[in-house]
Structures are given as C-alpha cells and as structure tokens.
Amino acid sequence: MDGAERKRSVCAKPEPEAQQSITTDREVKRDTIPERVTLKKEIGLLSACTIIIGNIIGSGIFISPKGVLEHSGSVGLALVVWMLGGCIAALGSLCYAELGVTIPKSGGDYSYVTEIFGDLVGFLLLWSAVLIMYPTTLAVIALTFSNYVLQPAFPNCVPPYMATRMLSATCILFLTWVNCFSVRLATRIQDIFTVGKLLALGLIIAVGLLQIYKGDYEGLTPQVAFEFYKTPSVGQIALAFLQASFAFSGWNFLNYVTEEVVDPRRNLPRAIYISIPLVTCVYTLTNIAYFSSMSPEELLASNAVAVTFGEKLLGMFSTLMPISVALSTFGGINGYLFTSSRLCFSGAREGHLPSLLAMIHFKSCTPIPALLVCCTATIVILCIGETHNLINYVSFINYLSYGVTIAGLLYYRWKKPNLYRPIKVSLLVPLCYLMFWALLLGFSLHSEPVVCGVGLVIMLTGVPVYFLVVYWKNKPKCVYDFTEWATYLGQRVFFVVFPHIDPTEATTSSKWNDKSSVTSTAAGPV
C-alpha cells in the first residue's frame, strides 16, 4: 500500500487529459513524480472563516450569558466583559496569525509550543487537551444540542437524563462518520451550519433591536445597567471573563488545520481578521438583545436563555429558537471534531501519541484513528455525568495554554531573530495579552483555588506519563512488539497509511527560512 508504487493518486482529482499523449513538460513531470496519499488542501478563505466562526459560535453564547452576568453583578459590566473578551481574543488571534505562518504545521498551540519549548511542555499541553479540554467541550456542546432538541417534547420539565445522553452520543457518532468519510463533506456541513447559526443569532439580534426601537431599553440605560445587584470582587470579575472565554474558545482552531488550508500565508490571517471582529459584534449585540427584553433576574433563572427569550417575544414562532440553537450546536460539534482530531494527528506525528493516530485513510485521506479517539473520549465524558461544572476547568486550561503559546512567540523572536516571518505583529500585542492573561489567572487562582488547582493537577499528571511513554526509549521488547502488532491491526481494520510528503512542495518550500541564510531549505516537516 505504498503511495510510491501507485501510478494514480487516490486523493487527487484525475486530470481529464491524463490518458492522452505525454508531450508537454507538465505531463512528463506528472508522470515522473510519484503520486501520494496526503492531507488535502481543501480549505479556502470561506471555509477558513466558517471553521473559526463555527467553532467559536457553538453552545457558549447560549450558556455563558448566565455565568457572565452572575459573576459580574450588573448588566453594564457584563456587556463590558463580552466586548473586552472579544478584544482579548483578537489580540491572541493576531499572535497566532504570526505563529501560524512562521511555523506552518497543523496542531496549533501544541505544535508551536513543542517547536519552541521542547517535547515536555508540548506533551503537557497535548495531554490536558486530549484528556479533558476538548472532550469536555464537545460533551457540553452535544448536551446543549440534545437539551434544546428535546425541550419542545418536555415543555414543563427537564428532558430525561438518558434521552439527552443517547441523543448526544448519536450526534457525535454521526458527525464522526461524516468526518471519517470526507473532508469536503465535513467542511461543507461546517459552511452550511455556520450560516444557519449566524441567521439564528441574527433573528435574536433583530428582535432585540426591534424592542429597543419600540422604546424597551430602560434596562440598558447607564444608570440602570450599572446598578449592581451584588458588588463583584476582582476575583468574581476574573471568573466572568473565564465564562466569556468559554464562549470565545475556538478562535485559534484554524491553526490546527494549517496544512489543509489553501495558501495559508494569505488565507490564515485574512480569515482571522474577518472572523474575530464579526463574532465579537454578534456576541455583544446578542447580549444587548437578551437584556432589552429580559431582566437580570429572568436571565439568571433561565436554564435555556434563547428559549426563554423566544417564549417571551416570538409567541407562536418560539419553536424557532430551540431549532436554531440545535443547528448552531450541531455545527459546533462538527467543527470541534474536525479540529481536535488534527491535534491528535499532530501529536502522533511528533511521537507523543501512538503512531496509528498519525495515519490517514488511503482513499478518503481522513485521519480516521484520531477521529475515533476524539469520539470515544467525548462519549466517556458524557457517561461520567454532568459536564457543565467543568466549564471553569476547561476555560482555565485554555487560558493557560494560550498564555504559554504567546509567551513562546516572544521567546522565539529572541531565540531566532533572523527567522523569516511573513506576518510580524507589534510587540505591544503579545505584551498586552500576557498582562491581561497574568491578571486573569492570578485573580482566578485567588478566587477559585480549587477549580484552578484541579486544572493544574490535570495538566501536571502528564509529567510521569511523558517520562514513562515518550522519554523512556529502552522499553522491554514485548512493549514494542505489542505496539507494532496493535498498529498493524489498526492499519488492517481502518485501511490507513502514513501520509506522504509532496515532492514538489519539499523541493520548493521556503518555510522557516533564516534571513541570514538565503539558500537554506525548509527546517521542519510541513
């Protein structure tokens, strides 16, 4: 099943003239270069934007408003938290744009941290992400999906526990199959459902603005909006930002699929510049719409803010709200599966996870083993119990990884000042982000030491695992024999092989070139 022995690519569309006479240089080159199995570059600018928007806008905007308001203590401060949350995400995304085109590898934070700080730090980030961060986030989004889908069938009570879990698991299994079947189909689903969720939020915003136009904006006037029903501490404000960060999480996910983006040096930053301001605007306007028609007491008492909003203002059309939220969360699950599987793929390629996870299907070119690991981990989290209490854990680990990655940007500039950087942000951008990051995590630790401590413990449990599994090279022969047998069995079951390097890209790549050595070639795998 070696790609070098095949005469025709199973992952690329065949040229219509391939059977005709080979007379041009292009045709000669096509015949002499071996065809290969590799991840396909099928993510254009539109799909890149929908991946970012689709991953950010999932369940967060329908869950976090309650937590942000509860910790901030007033409507006005809650809106400030939402706007500042978007600004902080924009600063972080600018830094990630530089990292994404300087170190053009899929895997996002993990790949950058591994390249800059070494294997141990990268493994700790990978460990916490695979073990808790992404499975928990996927489980929360899937439960939100099932709760909103089942809510019309149980109007006067909470949907049954088993029903929500079964529907959540079914949704995750279906979307895992889609992502295993075709990258193109997965990105098309992402495109369609991203448009759907924007339309859903657009409906909320339009109804809210109509209420304001009618004069129902008393709760948004400064003297009322900044009337605190409780005085928040600095630690509580930090927790409000953590809740908002859950809604904004996903702004860095395009960096996880850099190798599948068409012309990433151009489309990666463009997608970030378009998507982050758009999401920030949508989130702020959505919260304004909520507060235009709901008192703080009503919002805090609601377990489904969008449904309560719809029941209050849409009358007979109120069923549109649970449907719209279901569409939004369905797209969010698809996006998280797509990107988190690439994290497992990148970790296996670096030798930090079993090599089977670095393989792709020989025909569909999708990372099936990595997708199945993400699916299994999420279903395990679903079976454990209630996952909403883990949002603060996830947000803390998220912010910790963001801060370490952006600190790595500064260290990398000092370590390799002559490295070619197609995008180079002002030093004020990472410094401002890190100042905010340090304040936020410091006050969060002071306010909720148990929550933040558990997050740190989850990450640090990866230290002995790293030394036992990755660093220890002279393991007993039986361990290597078992690993080889399991990998061979996985290949036979899933029809997967290691992806091949594009020979034309390998010879012409100018990535990671040092300005001081113009003739140097690529310094790392693409």
Side-chain angles (χ1 to χ4, degrees), residues 426-497:
S426 168
L427 280 175
L428 287 175
V429 175
L431 287 175
C432 288
Y433 185 92
L434 288 174
M435 286 176 60
F436 175 84
W437 172 81
L439 288 171
L440 178 66
L441 291 191
F443 286 120
S444 298
L445 278 167
H446 179 266
S447 180
E448 290 287 345
V450 174
V451 170
C452 299
V454 169
L456 284 173
V457 169
I458 290 172
M459 183 171 286
L460 293 177
T461 54
V463 174
V465 177
Y466 170 79
F467 283 104
L468 183 65
V469 176
V470 179
Y471 186 79
W472 183 24
K473 301 298 183 183
N474 299 319
K475 301 181 183 72
K477 185 176 181 296
C478 61
V479 175
Y480 290 109
D481 290 341
F482 175 78
T483 303
E484 184 179 349
W485 171 81
T487 302
Y488 176 73
L489 179 63
Q491 285 188 271
R492 294 292 299 271
V493 171
F494 302 120
F495 298 97
V496 292
V497 295

XYZ file of all heavy atoms in Angstrom, residues 426-497:
585
model
N 3.175 43.870 16.211
C 3.880 44.738 17.155
C 4.050 44.026 18.496
O 3.188 43.253 18.931
C 3.096 46.036 17.352
O 3.596 46.770 18.456
N 5.179 44.288 19.170
C 5.427 43.667 20.467
C 4.359 44.030 21.496
O 4.140 43.298 22.465
C 6.802 44.080 20.999
C 8.012 43.326 20.430
C 9.304 43.918 20.965
C 7.932 41.844 20.769
N 3.688 45.165 21.297
C 2.643 45.572 22.231
C 1.494 44.570 22.256
O 0.837 44.407 23.289
C 2.103 46.961 21.851
C 3.023 48.149 22.152
C 2.410 49.436 21.602
C 3.256 48.271 23.657
N 1.247 43.899 21.127
C 0.117 42.963 21.051
C 0.328 41.776 21.999
O -0.513 41.526 22.875
C -0.109 42.501 19.597
C -1.198 41.424 19.544
C -0.497 43.682 18.723
N 1.433 41.008 21.879
C 1.613 39.904 22.843
C 1.822 40.378 24.274
O 1.378 39.706 25.218
C 2.850 39.166 22.318
C 3.559 40.140 21.463
C 2.499 41.013 20.865
N 2.468 41.533 24.468
C 2.689 42.029 25.832
C 1.367 42.391 26.500
O 1.150 42.067 27.678
C 3.628 43.232 25.804
C 5.109 42.917 25.500
C 5.907 44.209 25.371
C 5.709 42.019 26.581
N 0.472 43.069 25.765
C -0.848 43.415 26.328
C -1.635 42.152 26.656
O -2.289 42.060 27.710
C -1.630 44.290 25.354
S -1.000 45.979 25.213
N -1.580 41.176 25.756
C -2.303 39.924 26.013
C -1.768 39.242 27.272
O -2.542 38.771 28.114
C -2.194 38.980 24.818
C -3.013 37.728 24.974
C -4.315 37.665 24.488
C -2.523 36.610 25.655
C -5.093 36.529 24.660
C -3.289 35.476 25.838
C -4.571 35.443 25.338
O -5.340 34.320 25.526
N -0.439 39.173 27.402
C 0.151 38.478 28.537
C -0.111 39.208 29.857
O -0.269 38.565 30.904
C 1.653 38.298 28.315
C 2.037 37.266 27.250
C 3.533 37.268 27.008
C 1.568 35.870 27.652
N -0.183 40.537 29.820
C -0.531 41.291 31.030
C -1.935 40.940 31.482
O -2.187 40.665 32.663
C -0.395 42.792 30.768
C 1.041 43.300 30.693
S 1.112 45.061 30.275
C 0.190 45.767 31.633
N -2.862 40.951 30.538
C -4.247 40.580 30.868
C -4.297 39.135 31.338
O -4.976 38.804 32.313
C -5.134 40.776 29.644
C -6.547 40.300 29.846
C -7.483 41.118 30.451
C -6.937 39.030 29.450
C -8.780 40.682 30.654
C -8.226 38.582 29.647
C -9.152 39.416 30.247
N -3.567 38.261 30.653
C -3.551 36.831 30.980
C -3.062 36.610 32.409
O -3.656 35.838 33.172
C -2.649 36.129 29.970
C -2.357 34.691 30.252
C -3.147 33.619 29.974
C -1.173 34.152 30.848
N -2.538 32.453 30.354
C -1.320 32.756 30.894
C 0.005 34.721 31.333
C -0.340 31.919 31.415
C 0.989 33.878 31.850
C 0.808 32.497 31.887
N -1.979 37.287 32.795
C -1.420 37.113 34.138
C -2.401 37.600 35.209
O -2.598 36.946 36.240
C -0.097 37.863 34.249
N -3.033 38.758 34.953
C -4.015 39.275 35.915
C -5.200 38.336 36.046
O -5.661 38.039 37.156
C -4.479 40.668 35.475
C -3.466 41.807 35.632
C -3.991 43.078 34.960
C -3.186 42.074 37.109
N -5.702 37.857 34.922
C -6.876 36.989 34.935
C -6.607 35.698 35.687
O -7.376 35.302 36.575
C -7.308 36.679 33.492
C -8.505 35.740 33.342
C -9.762 36.390 33.896
C -8.710 35.365 31.883
N -5.496 35.026 35.363
C -5.208 33.757 36.029
C -4.855 33.961 37.501
O -5.208 33.137 38.340
C -4.069 33.044 35.307
C -4.379 32.497 33.915
C -3.254 31.600 33.433
C -5.691 31.722 33.891
N -4.168 35.075 37.796
C -3.826 35.346 39.194
C -5.051 35.535 40.059
O -5.177 34.912 41.131
N -5.987 36.357 39.596
C -7.209 36.596 40.375
C -8.111 35.360 40.377
O -8.837 35.118 41.341
C -7.959 37.805 39.833
C -7.301 39.116 40.183
C -6.868 39.990 39.190
C -7.107 39.479 41.506
C -6.260 41.195 39.516
C -6.494 40.676 41.850
C -6.067 41.540 40.854
N -8.088 34.575 39.293
C -8.877 33.344 39.264
C -8.356 32.349 40.297
O -9.133 31.691 40.992
C -8.827 32.718 37.864
O -9.387 33.586 36.902
N -7.036 32.242 40.392
C -6.445 31.365 41.409
C -6.822 31.812 42.815
O -7.109 30.986 43.692
C -4.923 31.353 41.253
C -4.345 30.425 40.181
C -2.882 30.755 39.927
C -4.488 28.968 40.619
N -6.843 33.137 43.023
C -7.193 33.662 44.345
C -8.667 33.432 44.658
O -9.022 33.103 45.805
C -6.880 35.160 44.392
C -7.220 35.802 45.718
N -8.440 36.425 45.944
C -6.523 35.892 46.883
C -8.466 36.882 47.191
N -7.321 36.579 47.769
N -9.533 33.582 43.649
C -10.975 33.468 43.873
C -11.443 32.017 43.941
O -12.268 31.662 44.773
C -11.733 34.216 42.771
O -13.119 34.125 42.961
N -10.919 31.172 43.032
C -11.348 29.770 42.979
C -10.109 28.870 42.968
O -9.772 28.265 41.941
C -12.191 29.527 41.713
C -13.554 30.175 41.742
C -14.514 29.468 42.671
O -14.220 28.319 43.064
O -15.552 30.053 43.007
N -9.403 28.772 44.079
C -8.159 27.987 44.090
C -8.377 26.513 43.798
O -7.511 25.867 43.206
C -7.620 28.203 45.508
C -8.810 28.609 46.322
C -9.711 29.367 45.393
N -9.529 25.964 44.196
C -9.776 24.539 43.962
C -9.953 24.269 42.475
O -9.350 23.343 41.912
C -11.020 24.074 44.745
C -11.357 22.627 44.385
C -10.791 24.212 46.244
N -10.789 25.094 41.810
C -11.049 24.912 40.379
C -9.745 25.016 39.586
O -9.415 24.163 38.757
C -12.065 25.954 39.874
C -12.151 25.939 38.352
C -13.439 25.671 40.474
N -8.987 26.089 39.839
C -7.741 26.305 39.108
C -6.693 25.262 39.494
O -5.917 24.811 38.645
C -7.209 27.705 39.382
S -8.338 29.018 38.853
N -6.687 24.863 40.774
C -5.748 23.840 41.211
C -5.999 22.506 40.525
O -5.053 21.813 40.130
N -7.271 22.143 40.374
C -7.600 20.897 39.685
C -7.139 20.964 38.229
O -6.614 19.987 37.675
C -9.116 20.613 39.763
C -9.499 19.467 38.827
C -9.518 20.277 41.184
N -7.318 22.138 37.587
C -6.849 22.307 36.219
C -5.346 22.098 36.106
O -4.862 21.428 35.183
N -4.591 22.648 37.068
C -3.137 22.470 37.056
C -2.760 21.011 37.308
O -1.836 20.480 36.687
C -2.496 23.359 38.128
C -2.400 24.853 37.817
C -1.900 25.615 39.039
C -1.479 25.101 36.629
N -3.469 20.355 38.224
C -3.179 18.951 38.524
C -3.423 18.080 37.298
O -2.620 17.175 36.983
C -4.027 18.463 39.720
C -3.944 16.939 39.862
C -3.563 19.132 41.004
N -4.523 18.350 36.578
C -4.817 17.588 35.360
C -3.664 17.706 34.373
O -3.230 16.715 33.761
C -6.133 18.075 34.724
C -7.325 17.679 35.590
C -6.293 17.508 33.307
C -8.639 18.291 35.139
N -3.146 18.920 34.222
C -2.039 19.133 33.286
C -0.765 18.442 33.773
O -0.055 17.802 32.991
C -1.811 20.629 33.091
C -0.714 20.963 32.082
S -0.635 22.725 31.671
C -2.066 22.892 30.622
N -0.460 18.542 35.079
C 0.802 18.011 35.605
C 0.815 16.490 35.708
O 1.889 15.890 35.827
C 1.095 18.629 36.974
C 1.396 20.134 36.959
C 1.589 20.662 38.375
C 2.635 20.434 36.113
N -0.362 15.855 35.664
C -0.361 14.383 35.650
C 0.302 13.842 34.391
O 0.669 12.664 34.333
C -1.799 13.836 35.729
O -2.592 14.427 34.687
C -2.424 14.098 37.074
N 0.471 14.715 33.397
C 1.136 14.284 32.175
C 2.638 14.131 32.308
O 3.276 13.508 31.447
N 3.229 14.678 33.396
C 4.694 14.606 33.557
C 5.175 13.156 33.678
O 6.051 12.717 32.915
C 5.160 15.459 34.752
C 6.657 15.253 34.995
C 4.863 16.936 34.503
N 4.651 12.352 34.629
C 5.112 10.955 34.690
C 4.754 10.167 33.435
O 5.520 9.280 33.025
C 4.390 10.391 35.925
C 3.236 11.308 36.163
C 3.675 12.650 35.710
N 3.614 10.481 32.817
C 3.237 9.787 31.585
C 4.258 10.067 30.486
O 4.664 9.172 29.738
C 1.828 10.218 31.134
C 1.459 9.561 29.800
C 0.792 9.875 32.191
N 4.713 11.326 30.400
C 5.695 11.689 29.379
C 6.991 10.903 29.557
O 7.523 10.331 28.596
C 5.988 13.191 29.442
C 7.170 13.615 28.594
C 7.033 13.778 27.216
C 8.427 13.817 29.165
C 8.116 14.139 26.430
C 9.517 14.170 28.391
C 9.362 14.335 27.020
O 10.427 14.681 26.251
N 7.499 10.861 30.789
C 8.772 10.174 31.014
C 8.643 8.665 30.846
O 9.589 7.997 30.415
C 9.315 10.519 32.408
C 9.938 11.879 32.481
C 9.254 12.930 33.080
C 11.186 12.125 31.933
C 9.815 14.197 33.140
C 11.761 13.384 31.994
C 11.072 14.434 32.587
N 7.454 8.138 31.146
C 7.252 6.694 31.029
C 7.019 6.266 29.580
O 7.553 5.240 29.128
C 6.064 6.268 31.900
C 5.758 4.770 31.963
C 6.907 4.029 32.635
C 4.447 4.520 32.709
N 6.248 7.055 28.833
C 5.816 6.635 27.496
C 6.678 7.221 26.392
O 7.015 6.529 25.427
C 4.333 7.038 27.270
C 3.892 6.693 25.859
C 3.440 6.349 28.294
N 7.078 8.494 26.524
C 7.786 9.172 25.436
C 9.298 9.199 25.661
O 10.079 8.806 24.791
C 7.247 10.614 25.265
C 7.991 11.328 24.141
C 5.754 10.598 24.983
N 9.716 9.675 26.824
C 11.150 9.894 27.081
C 11.919 8.575 27.222
O 13.059 8.463 26.785
C 11.315 10.739 28.340
C 12.740 11.142 28.624
C 13.329 12.202 27.929
C 13.499 10.467 29.583
C 14.641 12.568 28.189
C 14.804 10.836 29.850
C 15.375 11.885 29.147
O 16.669 12.251 29.387
N 11.316 7.567 27.840
C 11.964 6.274 28.064
C 12.017 5.515 26.736
O 11.007 5.040 26.233
C 11.189 5.483 29.112
C 11.802 4.164 29.471
C 13.107 3.795 29.352
C 11.114 3.032 30.011
N 13.297 2.516 29.782
C 12.090 2.018 30.190
C 9.795 2.776 30.361
C 11.761 0.761 30.707
C 9.459 1.545 30.880
C 10.437 0.550 31.057
N 13.204 5.410 26.178
C 13.367 4.807 24.854
C 13.670 3.308 24.920
O 13.344 2.573 23.993
C 14.517 5.504 24.090
C 14.309 6.994 23.897
C 13.068 7.300 23.075
C 12.912 8.786 22.841
N 11.658 9.114 22.108
N 14.327 2.835 25.977
C 14.741 1.431 26.049
C 13.720 0.583 26.800
O 14.013 -0.027 27.830
C 16.118 1.319 26.721
C 17.191 2.055 25.942
O 17.208 2.001 24.713
N 18.065 2.754 26.651
N 12.511 0.550 26.279
C 11.455 -0.246 26.905
C 11.679 -1.728 26.593
O 12.401 -2.076 25.643
C 10.082 0.193 26.393
C 9.748 1.647 26.644
C 8.362 1.956 26.124
C 8.016 3.429 26.283
N 8.770 4.278 25.342
N 11.081 -2.627 27.358
C 11.193 -4.062 27.057
C 10.684 -4.374 25.642
O 9.783 -3.712 25.128
C 10.306 -4.709 28.129
C 10.273 -3.724 29.242
C 10.345 -2.376 28.604
N 11.262 -5.396 25.040
C 10.912 -5.749 23.666
C 9.437 -6.087 23.520
O 8.819 -5.806 22.487
C 11.760 -6.945 23.217
C 11.573 -7.323 21.743
C 12.519 -8.439 21.352
C 12.345 -8.791 19.883
N 10.995 -9.320 19.590
N 8.839 -6.660 24.578
C 7.423 -7.029 24.487
C 6.533 -5.807 24.281
O 5.487 -5.894 23.624
C 6.999 -7.797 25.732
S 7.178 -6.869 27.276
N 6.946 -4.662 24.844
C 6.170 -3.425 24.663
C 6.182 -3.007 23.199
O 5.151 -2.674 22.607
C 6.724 -2.296 25.556
C 5.991 -0.990 25.278
C 6.600 -2.672 27.024
N 7.370 -3.052 22.582
C 7.471 -2.673 21.172
C 6.743 -3.673 20.279
O 6.124 -3.295 19.281
C 8.942 -2.574 20.773
C 9.663 -1.400 21.385
C 10.620 -1.591 22.376
C 9.378 -0.099 20.994
C 11.277 -0.523 22.953
C 10.027 0.984 21.568
C 10.979 0.766 22.545
O 11.620 1.838 23.114
N 6.814 -4.945 20.649
C 6.108 -5.968 19.863
C 4.604 -5.743 19.907
O 3.918 -5.852 18.884
C 6.448 -7.363 20.394
C 7.885 -7.771 20.095
O 8.490 -7.151 19.196
O 8.387 -8.695 20.764
N 4.104 -5.441 21.113
C 2.659 -5.187 21.235
C 2.253 -3.945 20.450
O 1.222 -3.942 19.764
C 2.286 -5.022 22.709
C 0.845 -4.630 22.921
C -0.158 -5.571 22.829
C 0.499 -3.306 23.198
C -1.495 -5.214 23.008
C -0.826 -2.938 23.374
C -1.830 -3.896 23.273
N 3.067 -2.880 20.544
C 2.761 -1.645 19.814
C 2.736 -1.893 18.310
O 1.844 -1.411 17.591
C 3.795 -0.554 20.154
O 3.804 -0.343 21.564
C 3.461 0.755 19.448
N 3.719 -2.658 17.839
C 3.779 -2.967 16.404
C 2.572 -3.781 15.964
O 1.984 -3.537 14.907
C 5.076 -3.723 16.110
C 5.293 -4.002 14.637
C 6.603 -4.722 14.377
O 7.423 -4.811 15.306
O 6.796 -5.200 13.232
N 2.194 -4.757 16.791
C 1.023 -5.585 16.455
C -0.254 -4.749 16.432
O -1.071 -4.880 15.515
C 0.898 -6.711 17.484
C -0.385 -7.482 17.338
C -0.657 -8.486 16.456
C -1.587 -7.281 18.098
N -1.938 -8.930 16.610
C -2.547 -8.204 17.609
C -1.942 -6.418 19.133
C -3.829 -8.274 18.134
C -3.223 -6.489 19.657
C -4.147 -7.416 19.164
N -0.420 -3.868 17.444
C -1.620 -3.034 17.511
C -1.679 -2.066 16.324
O -2.756 -1.837 15.750
C -1.644 -2.256 18.827
N -0.535 -1.515 15.943
C -0.507 -0.600 14.790
C -0.867 -1.335 13.515
O -1.655 -0.845 12.697
C 0.892 0.040 14.665
O 1.210 0.723 15.873
C 0.923 1.028 13.504
N -0.302 -2.527 13.335
C -0.591 -3.332 12.139
C -2.068 -3.694 12.089
O -2.713 -3.597 11.033
C 0.269 -4.592 12.151
C -0.010 -5.542 11.017
C 0.396 -5.253 9.710
C -0.690 -6.736 11.246
C 0.128 -6.131 8.667
C -0.966 -7.620 10.215
C -0.549 -7.315 8.929
O -0.821 -8.184 7.898
N -2.625 -4.086 13.238
C -4.050 -4.430 13.287
C -4.909 -3.219 12.942
O -5.886 -3.322 12.179
C -4.401 -4.950 14.683
C -5.872 -5.328 14.921
C -6.272 -6.486 14.023
C -6.107 -5.675 16.389
N -4.542 -2.039 13.498
C -5.288 -0.823 13.188
C -5.242 -0.471 11.715
O -6.243 -0.039 11.124
N -4.081 -0.667 11.094
C -3.979 -0.396 9.664
C -4.886 -1.311 8.856
O -5.524 -0.882 7.892
C -2.530 -0.561 9.198
C -1.610 0.572 9.611
C -0.250 0.445 8.962
O 0.638 -0.188 9.504
N -0.108 1.044 7.791
N -4.924 -2.584 9.238
C -5.767 -3.541 8.513
C -7.245 -3.245 8.705
O -8.051 -3.412 7.779
C -5.458 -4.965 9.000
C -4.065 -5.458 8.678
C -3.877 -5.657 7.174
N -4.793 -6.643 6.635
C -4.541 -7.958 6.564
N -3.371 -8.425 7.012
N -5.419 -8.792 6.049
N -7.624 -2.822 9.905
C -9.043 -2.569 10.203
C -9.525 -1.282 9.543
O -10.615 -1.231 8.953
C -9.268 -2.509 11.732
C -10.684 -2.020 12.045
C -9.020 -3.864 12.360
N -8.716 -0.198 9.626
C -9.166 1.122 9.162
C -8.635 1.505 7.781
O -8.982 2.567 7.282
C -8.748 2.202 10.176
C -9.281 1.980 11.558
C -8.425 1.824 12.643
C -10.644 1.903 11.783
C -8.914 1.616 13.916
C -11.149 1.689 13.054
C -10.281 1.539 14.128
N -7.789 0.655 7.180
C -7.207 0.936 5.852
C -6.476 2.277 5.848
O -6.751 3.156 5.025
C -8.291 0.921 4.766
C -8.969 -0.408 4.611
C -10.181 -0.667 5.233
C -8.379 -1.424 3.857
C -10.802 -1.905 5.098
C -8.993 -2.659 3.718
C -10.208 -2.904 4.344
N -5.563 2.456 6.791
C -4.859 3.729 6.923
C -3.366 3.529 6.694
O -2.818 2.441 6.907
C -5.086 4.369 8.317
C -6.526 4.816 8.473
C -4.700 3.409 9.439
N -2.710 4.602 6.212
C -1.267 4.609 5.974
C -0.722 5.955 6.427
O -1.479 6.914 6.638
C -0.932 4.393 4.486
C -1.361 3.025 4.016
C -1.570 5.479 3.631
